[in-house]
Amino acid sequence: MTSWTDTEGRADKPLSRIRVLDLTLARAGPTAVRHLADWGADVIRIEPPAGAGASDPVGGSRHGPDFQNLHRNKRAITLNLKTPEGHALFMKLAAGADVIVENMRSTVKTRLGIDYEAVRAVNPRIVYGSISGFGQDGPYAERAGVDQIAQGMGGLMSITGLPGQGPVRVGIPIADLCAGGYLAMGISMALLDREATGQGRWVRTSLLEAMVAMLDFQGARWTMTGEVPEQAGNDHPTGIPTGVFPTADGHVNIAASGQRLWTRFAAAAGLGHLVEDPRFADGAARSRNRAALNALIGEVTATRPSAHWVAVLMEAGVPCGPINSIDQTFADPQVRHLGLAAPVRHAELGEITIVASPLQMTGTTRDIRCAAPDAGEHTEEVLRGLGLDPAEIADLRDRNVI
């Protein structure tokens, strides 16, 4: 079993004084909680006991890479919220918590009696974070939310992929991950506000809201000018030339948009004569003649290996980089320097390596303190903290409350 104390490895973290009750499933909610756990929050993950509605963990086994990556730095208890005793224990935990995070359908938490208003009645300082598929209310509120569905409904799949090939999903669960990041940010803001007001807030987002927000300038092209962006493949939709170009041993990304970078790139690539070509004289012309320009660039870049072009263009001050496979990414010297693959010891698996937080800050480290817990690993520890004695805990276990 993973050892844990209230302060172990957390004392220097900015959220070390914050206690979080984690009721999340799937990926978006756990992602939000992971941000809080990584930065010191005392997270208690609450799951149903066996036979009381426990679901399969996202991505497979609890000891697999997905679960271990999602649920590190947490404690875990089992609690049957559908029983009166389980509900009472949850409310006792909620009375002393700072944050609750859930991603149930909007009616489920109300039916269980653990919704924001119910918790606020026992703890007005609670910051209650909710992620849904499409929002807590409205015509789609009761729909189940799945990352790929949100990618499609949010417009992302219509602009991803090569022109004419049809919609393409992004290769990561980007709606889940972005919604989780947005919720963690909202929770942090609400905690900061609570220092001034003494009152908690209900913080909400959804996969759909996160996906539409992540459209960013592509969305603004529609909202401001009525332009519907289309698939641009590996080409940047507005900055030209920016895209993927063939090399003698693979491909590189080159970003040479804007007149200054275009001129530098052309000179470094031996294409200086194209700067005076009226087809490529300015950004508008290069946009109109994108295909011809990309073909001319590709003819040249294909003659030398990727490493050559990265070195030459970096020397010229033109952004350029290789297109790595995942193993190449983690072998990259800058990725290794940044410590983005972090070790942690698991009681059964030994030392494992998972993906570190992308944040760094002075005065603390972003080390992973604790591997993802087994189901109910800390149940007795947490209940003892509520004042229950061993006989009471054993009775609750016998009755499948925990």
Side-chain angles (χ1 to χ4, degrees):
M1 294 302 219
T2 306
S3 63
W4 187 291
T5 65
D6 280 348
T7 59
E8 183 176 2
R10 301 190 298 112
D12 66 338
K13 301 291 189 289
L15 298 179
S16 61
R17 66 188 185 278
I18 301 302
R19 174 161 287 184
V20 178
L21 303 184
D22 176 7
L23 293 168
T24 63
L25 302 168
R27 187 182 309 280
T31 296
V33 178
R34 179 177 61 189
H35 286 300
L36 307 177
D38 280 352
W39 293 100
D42 176 17
V43 173
I44 301 172
R45 178 166 174 76
I46 299 171
E47 301 170 280
S55 59
D56 293 333
V58 65
S61 166
R62 289 185 86 93
H63 290 174
D66 201 354
F67 192 92
Q68 290 296 313
N69 197 54
L70 268 177
H71 296 294
R72 77 280 188 106
N73 293 333
K74 301 178 183 181
R75 295 193 279 174
I77 70 171
T78 51
L79 191 61
N80 188 348
L81 297 174
K82 296 178 181 178
T83 65
E85 299 93 336
H87 180 267
L89 287 170
F90 173 80
M91 296 304 272
K92 193 170 183 180
L93 285 168
D98 298 285
V99 176
I100 293 172
V101 186
E102 60 83 23
N103 58 345
M104 305 171 189
R105 292 198 200 185
S106 56
T107 57
V108 172
K109 52 185 167 285
T110 303
R111 187 167 67 246
L112 291 173
I114 58 171
D115 56 283
Y116 174 59
E117 292 299 333
V119 174
R120 188 172 68 155
V122 300
N123 182 357
R125 291 175 53 81
I126 198 71
V127 172
Y128 194 103
S130 296
I131 289 182
S132 59
F134 304 100
Q136 298 296 315
D137 47 34
Y140 301 162
E142 288 304 302
R143 292 188 185 183
V146 177
D147 174 85
Q148 187 160 333
I149 305 301
Q151 286 194 36
M153 292 179 67
L156 180 63
M157 291 175 66
S158 74
I159 55 173
T160 302
L162 299 171
Q165 82 174 104
V168 177
R169 70 178 291 275
V170 174
I172 58 172
I174 190 167
D176 283 339
L177 299 177
C178 291
Y182 279 130
L183 187 67
M185 180 171 63
I187 288 168
S188 299
M189 289 190 287
L191 287 169
L192 182 62
D193 177 71
R194 190 181 70 175
E195 293 184 3
T197 66
Q199 297 294 311
R201 292 180 183 265
W202 185 13
V203 184
R204 308 176 296 280
T205 192
S206 65
L207 304 189
L208 183 60
E209 287 168 285
M211 202 68 274
V212 173
M214 287 299 292
L215 292 177
D216 198 65
F217 79 95
Q218 294 281 50
R221 290 169 71 182
W222 162 252
T223 60
M224 288 190 63
T225 68
E227 179 183 0
V228 179
E230 298 179 348
Q231 289 171 309
N234 290 317
D235 294 328
H236 191 280
T238 58
I240 302 161
T242 297
V244 174
F245 296 92
T247 66
D249 59 355
H251 296 83
V252 291
N253 272 312
I254 298 172
S257 61
Q259 202 64 24
R260 180 171 57 88
L261 284 178
W262 159 238
T263 302
R264 285 184 186 177
F265 165 74
L271 294 169
H273 59 286
L274 295 183
V275 173
E276 304 302 322
D277 190 317
R279 293 176 297 169
F280 316 123
D282 56 29
R286 290 192 293 276
S287 180
R288 289 193 301 272
N289 297 287
R290 179 201 300 262
L293 178 57
N294 284 352
L296 291 169
I297 293 171
E299 289 176 5
V300 172
T301 58
T303 64
R304 307 295 290 271
S306 298
H308 166 83
W309 292 114
V310 172
V312 166
L313 296 180
M314 287 294 99
E315 179 68 23
V318 177
C320 176
I323 298 174
N324 291 330
S325 58
I326 301 299
D327 57 328
Q328 291 171 328
T329 292
F330 283 98
D332 183 277
Q334 185 65 24
V335 173
R336 292 172 67 88
H337 170 77
L338 292 170
L340 287 165
V344 66
R345 178 156 292 279
H346 188 281
E348 293 186 34
L349 302 174
E351 185 170 288
I352 60 175
T353 303
I354 50 183
V355 183
S357 168
L359 299 173
Q360 299 188 59
M361 63 181 71
T362 56
T364 187
T365 59
R366 60 176 178 189
D367 54 296
I368 297 171
R369 304 179 304 281
C370 183
D374 287 339
E377 182 170 333
H378 304 94
T379 301
E380 293 192 16
E381 174 183 300
V382 170
L383 294 184
R384 286 197 305 268
L386 289 179
L388 277 69
D389 62 35
E392 290 173 304
I393 293 172
D395 176 62
L396 292 171
R397 195 177 298 283
D398 288 343
R399 292 187 291 118
N400 207 36
V401 176
I402 60 173

